[in-house]
Amino acid sequence: EWRTTGIVPGSRKITAFDADGGLETDFLDKVAASVPGDQPVILICRSGNRSGKAARLLSAQLGFQHVYNVEGGIQQWLEERRPVTACPAC
């Protein structure tokens, strides 16, 4: 998806779910290693469904207090003509 849509400038690419919809085994570890628990986390996917599930996981399993999901995902983001950048190494 990132190759076709681009990514939100300044974002970090961490895959939460595999192609079959299963949780990537290292997702929570990667987020925990990348973001201090007291910092806000904003998640985005294609339509907002998977990132919504991931947001709930971060709150429930890692205790993150400030987790946000971009409703409508990157599709809505693009419809609103918000900025994206090419995805390096995608």
Side-chain angles (χ1 to χ4, degrees):
E1 293 174 0
W2 295 325
R3 284 185 209 137
T4 39
T5 62
I7 60 172
V8 175
S11 63
R12 297 180 190 169
K13 302 178 313 278
I14 301 175
T15 300
F17 298 98
D18 62 27
D20 295 323
L23 183 66
E24 290 283 347
T25 56
D26 61 352
F27 171 69
L28 294 172
D29 291 335
K30 284 184 176 180
V31 173
S34 298
V35 183
D38 62 344
Q39 294 295 308
V41 177
I42 303 167
L43 302 172
I44 190 167
C45 68
R46 184 180 52 80
S47 66
N49 292 326
R50 288 172 293 166
S51 55
K53 291 176 187 176
R56 289 187 292 278
L57 280 170
L58 293 180
S59 294
Q61 294 192 20
L62 295 180
F64 278 70
Q65 299 291 315
H66 308 285
V67 183
Y68 305 94
N69 177 38
V70 177
E71 292 194 23
I74 194 75
Q75 291 177 331
Q76 181 76 28
W77 187 271
L78 292 170
E79 285 175 18
E80 294 174 2
R81 299 192 184 279
R82 294 177 182 260
V84 293
T85 187
C87 179
C90 282

